[in-house]
Amino acid sequence: MKLSNSLQFNTENGMDIIDSILNAGNNPTIVIDKETFEILYQNKKALELFGNKVKFLCHEVFNTKEVPCMDCPIFGLSENTETKVRYNDILEKTVSWEFTNIKWHNGKMAILATLVETKDMSANVMVAATREDTYDGLDSLTDVPTYSAFYDNANKSIYSNLDKNYAVVVFDIDRFKTINDLYGMSKGDDALKHIASVLKDVFGDECNYGRMHSDMFAFYIDYKNKGEIIRHIEKIRKKIYNSEFEFVINTSYGIYLVEDLSVPINLMCDRAMIASRTAKGNVLKFCAFYDEQYREEMLKANEIEKDMNKALENEDFKMYLQPKYKLADDRLCGAEVLCRWLHPDKGIMPPMDFIPLFEKNGFILKLDEYMWEQACITIRKWMDEGRTPIPLSVNISRYHIQHNDLEAVFRKLIDKYQIPVELLTLEITESLFLDKPEELNRELVKLQKMGFKLEVDDFGAGFSSLNLIRNVTVDTIKIDKDFLDSEMASEKGKIVINHTIDMAKDLRLQVIAEGVETQEHVDFLKKSRCDIAQGYYFAKPMPLAEFNKLSF
Ligand code: C2E
Ligand code: CA
Ligand code: CA
């Protein structure tokens, strides 16, 4: 199936027509949102080959299941139809994709990706094939070797100097997207050129470096001990940091030590990148070594991903409720909805074992919507049984803000179950407010207008606490449990908590303390005029049946 350039799909004739066009050929086809990389549609062939991937990010189909693709095939696509050859580790073979820019029926710019051939090719053939994308081996923006030239150079050096130890290092800019958003793409480009000039300056003509894609660069060096690698990285990092831009350029590094020569160079880079992700967002750690442990974690993650859809169908995700109490009179005044996975083999799994993964692969959209619906069903049932319903608060993962229409989802739930909106509180974690405060605020205002109460979860855990309550309209702050726990020991900590509560009161915000574990905590919080408490001192999260016994 060959599709013309700037194709437009509209729903005038119904989605059925689009469906029949895209199912007409024998090729697996998916449609990707150009902005969010989310899969908007897949035809039957793609469904057969990859399973249901709608709403997932496209790397779930192109490459590795764990991390976004190293050589993002849709990055920098031209307006024309382009063909790219990639090793696909879901299909375990090299395949050829044809990409066409289209306008999807909802007006979004999208990419139509069609799998046009699946020849068996070795990793080296793949490198050669992808090389056709470029003509002089130099990246046009930064004038450093492209990823394919980098792969070639690295292969040559590593295989012809078997007596030496090599390390492959991959790095990128922290929050590069924010730099682009705030200062413009051309400043972002300048930052990339600055990095290229640092690499040229440090390595000269060695050509042991390259730009992989976007803001990701790589280099390889021979080394005698690990300290030597870190010193190299520190030097590069400092030079990048010491720029004259009006913003700071922080970089995070992942290191892969070349020991097994059967690992292809692109996989070495992938592994270095996986390591670099563990250094991200940690101010004290700017580099990390790849460790086999990551591989195990990846395998574990793959296993969870294999089970998650079935678990949702089988209703293995259970709603647990943790009571909240008014400190003024120790009265039960609400409960937080927390998820537990009752896994048939692994037993009860806590959310920390799967939520972070679901936030990466997008499954959190489905799980959260399911949990919110469980909360609505519960409130409806209480009402039908003639009980006074207890307000429930649900967690909203950060992923929803950019990938979901929260207003529509909640409106649908409220309409379907006919429950008073004030019985559902939305908990939004503080770290969410860091990224795009305006966008988030817009979403939150919509929800508030519908009548929902908003709660800032984990307040005090990040750096943005004070700015946050100045800029964003929320109703309640929930002081982070770690903060309370560690700070309680010191007099200074008590002063901080006291002042946080005072300030919240002045701003007419309600205050909840979570992680309340001892009588001492309770006494202190009562004295500090904290409104509500939640924690093991009162009760742990429990299944609905148990909660019903406790509360009615
Ligand atoms: P969170 O929203 O901060 O939830 C409070 C966590 O603190 C819960 O952990 C709860 O069991 C725990 N906790 C409550 N009282 C105490 C206490 O006195 N001491 C200590 N040490 N811990 C206490 P849990 O259930 O393991 O959940 C962990 C996190 O997973 C939650 O943190 C929330 O961010 C996330 N989560 C849980 N369920 C969902 C869900 O359905 N959707 C989303 N998006 N996130 C969820
Ligand atoms: Ca919460
Ligand atoms: Ca919390």
Side-chain angles (χ1 to χ4, degrees):
M1 179 176 53
K2 193 89 186 163
L3 288 149
S4 72
N5 199 16
S6 57
L7 214 57
Q8 297 211 5
F9 286 87
N10 58 56
T11 37
E12 271 168 35
N13 302 318
M15 192 65 201
D16 293 353
I17 300 281
I18 297 180
D19 226 27
S20 53
I21 297 172
L22 294 179
N23 278 310
N26 257 337
N27 300 22
T29 297
I30 59 171
V31 176
I32 304 153
D33 185 318
K34 207 168 173 177
E35 201 184 328
T36 62
F37 299 109
E38 192 178 299
I39 297 176
L40 300 169
Y41 169 91
Q42 62 184 158
N43 71 356
K44 289 200 183 89
K45 284 279 169 197
L47 182 71
E48 276 166 27
L49 207 55
F50 299 105
N52 187 0
K53 293 293 175 193
V54 171
K55 282 200 177 180
F56 284 68
L57 298 184
C58 57
H59 71 85
E60 292 269 340
V61 161
F62 288 141
N63 193 0
T64 148
K65 295 195 74 170
E66 172 63 8
V67 288
C69 316
M70 189 76 215
D71 317 320
C72 172
I74 59 173
F75 179 75
L77 279 186
S78 72
E79 285 307 306
N80 302 318
T81 296
E82 265 188 63
T83 303
K84 292 199 176 181
V85 180
R86 288 286 185 284
Y87 183 74
N88 186 302
D89 55 11
I90 302 152
L91 305 174
E92 293 182 333
K93 58 182 158 191
T94 299
V95 297
S96 179
W97 286 97
E98 195 173 272
F99 298 106
T100 310
N101 287 294
I102 60 165
K103 196 166 178 189
W104 194 231
H105 66 80
N106 54 8
K108 282 186 175 176
M109 293 313 293
I111 293 166
L112 185 78
T114 306
L115 196 76
V116 283
E117 62 186 88
T118 55
K119 276 192 232 142
D120 253 327
M121 292 190 247
S122 71
N124 282 337
V125 178
M126 181 200 88
V127 170
T130 49
R131 271 212 78 159
E132 287 166 14
D133 296 343
T134 58
Y135 46 94
D136 60 359
L138 289 180
D139 172 56
S140 56
L141 177 73
T142 59
D143 210 29
V144 299
T146 60
Y147 68 88
S148 54
F150 172 79
Y151 288 169
D152 272 2
N153 295 340
N155 270 332
K156 264 184 229 143
S157 299
I158 294 171
Y159 288 101
S160 51
N161 294 292
L162 294 177
D163 53 324
K164 288 184 178 166
N165 290 322
Y166 278 96
V168 173
V169 181
V170 166
F171 68 97
D172 69 349
I173 302 177
D174 299 348
R175 296 180 175 275
F176 182 58
K177 202 172 166 319
T178 311
I179 295 180
N180 272 331
D181 287 348
L182 292 180
Y183 301 93
M185 297 286 272
S186 84
K187 275 281 186 279
D189 285 353
D190 289 345
L192 300 176
K193 286 182 200 160
H194 166 64
I195 291 183
S197 75
V198 168
L199 288 171
K200 283 180 202 163
D201 187 30
V202 170
F203 295 116
D205 295 333
E206 262 186 79
C207 268
N208 57 335
Y209 48 85
R211 179 178 174 213
M212 309 312 281
H213 64 82
S214 181
D215 61 324
M216 184 163 283
F217 292 83
F219 61 88
Y220 61 91
I221 43 170
D222 65 284
Y223 70 97
K224 293 200 175 54
N225 54 54
K226 284 183 176 177
E228 204 181 325
I229 308 170
I230 292 173
R231 278 193 296 280
H232 244 99
I233 290 177
E234 274 177 340
K235 190 167 154 194
I236 291 169
R237 188 169 183 268
K238 260 197 200 130
K239 279 181 182 255
I240 293 174
Y241 183 88
N242 288 331
S243 67
E244 306 215 315
F245 294 104
E246 58 265 56
F247 45 83
V248 171
I249 309 180
N250 268 319
T251 36
S252 302
Y253 299 74
I255 309 157
Y256 178 81
L257 302 178
V258 181
E259 278 156 6
D260 176 358
L261 286 176
S262 68
V263 176
I265 178 73
N266 58 329
L267 201 53
M268 292 183 191
C269 290
D270 273 353
R271 290 182 174 178
M273 188 182 64
I274 292 170
S276 84
R277 292 183 127 214
T278 66
K280 272 237 170 301
N282 185 339
V283 277
L284 299 174
K285 191 175 155 196
F286 57 86
C287 68
F289 285 87
Y290 175 81
D291 185 316
E292 272 305 307
Q293 192 195 328
Y294 300 138
R295 222 177 96 77
E296 272 164 36
E297 276 169 21
M298 261 169 73
L299 293 177
K300 242 204 250 156
N302 279 349
E303 224 172 86
I304 291 181
E305 289 189 322
K306 196 171 81 266
D307 294 343
M308 63 193 185
N309 281 301
K310 206 159 72 236
L312 195 61
E313 268 171 39
N314 294 350
E315 301 184 356
D316 289 341
F317 293 106
K318 298 288 178 209
M319 177 183 72
Y320 271 47
L321 294 173
Q322 186 176 32
K324 295 177 180 178
Y325 292 88
K326 267 229 153 61
L327 280 168
D329 54 10
D330 290 339
R331 201 168 45 82
L332 177 74
C333 64
E336 175 173 6
V337 171
L338 293 158
C339 179
R340 299 287 181 271
W341 184 347
L342 264 56
H343 196 284
D345 310 320
K346 298 187 177 110
I348 299 183
M349 281 164 70
M352 278 312 156
D353 283 6
F354 52 88
I355 297 246
L357 176 66
F358 292 173
E359 285 179 336
K360 269 194 248 165
N361 68 17
F363 190 71
I364 194 72
L365 292 182
K366 286 190 192 169
L367 178 64
D368 271 354
E369 286 187 20
Y370 176 78
M371 295 307 294
W372 304 340
E373 181 149 21
Q374 294 307 306
C376 293
I377 291 172
T378 305
I379 294 173
R380 180 72 253 161
K381 194 149 181 272
W382 286 334
M383 288 167 71
D384 290 345
E385 288 168 358
R387 298 169 171 178
T388 311
I390 293 161
L392 296 181
S393 61
V394 294
N395 288 288
I396 300 196
S397 156
R398 73 193 67 200
Y399 197 85
H400 292 280
I401 299 298
Q402 274 163 13
H403 297 89
N404 208 346
D405 182 352
L406 287 176
E407 191 189 10
V409 173
F410 279 107
R411 192 174 296 284
K412 207 166 140 196
L413 283 174
I414 292 294
D415 286 350
K416 181 168 173 194
Y417 295 100
Q418 290 293 308
I419 56 172
V421 77
E422 57 277 9
L423 289 179
L424 210 56
T425 302
L426 314 181
E427 295 195 13
I428 295 145
T429 115
E430 187 201 62
S431 58
L432 228 171
F433 293 80
L434 275 172
D435 250 5
K436 285 194 174 169
E438 300 84 19
E439 189 181 332
L440 178 67
N441 212 6
R442 263 200 311 278
E443 290 302 313
L444 297 187
V445 167
K446 282 191 219 157
L447 294 166
Q448 252 178 347
K449 279 201 180 130
M450 285 172 69
F452 287 109
K453 290 271 176 289
L454 302 179
E455 210 169 286
V456 184
D457 205 353
D458 305 335
F459 189 84
F463 302 104
S464 58
S465 318
L466 297 179
N467 259 337
L468 177 101
I469 49 175
R470 200 186 60 195
N471 295 334
V472 179
T473 40
V474 294
D475 306 281
T476 305
I477 59 167
K478 195 171 192 183
I479 300 176
D480 186 54
K481 59 178 173 306
D482 289 346
F483 184 72
L484 180 71
D485 195 35
S486 55
E487 301 293 324
M488 270 300 283
S490 71
E491 278 310 306
K492 263 194 198 162
K494 287 186 181 172
I495 295 172
V496 173
I497 294 176
N498 267 326
H499 281 281
T500 306
I501 294 176
D502 282 348
M503 185 184 56
K505 295 264 148 185
D506 286 346
L507 294 166
R508 297 191 202 296
L509 299 173
Q510 198 181 36
V511 185
I512 302 184
E514 65 176 352
V516 179
E517 291 184 350
T518 62
Q519 180 70 51
E520 194 208 345
H521 284 167
V522 176
D523 294 343
F524 166 70
L525 290 166
K526 279 188 175 169
K527 242 178 46 210
S528 313
R529 297 191 303 138
C530 176
D531 303 296
I532 294 169
Q534 174 186 347
Y536 296 167
Y537 175 80
F538 297 99
K540 288 196 169 180
M542 58 188 85
L544 177 62
E546 216 174 294
F547 183 82
N548 278 336
K549 275 190 227 148
L550 177 104
S551 50
F552 298 111

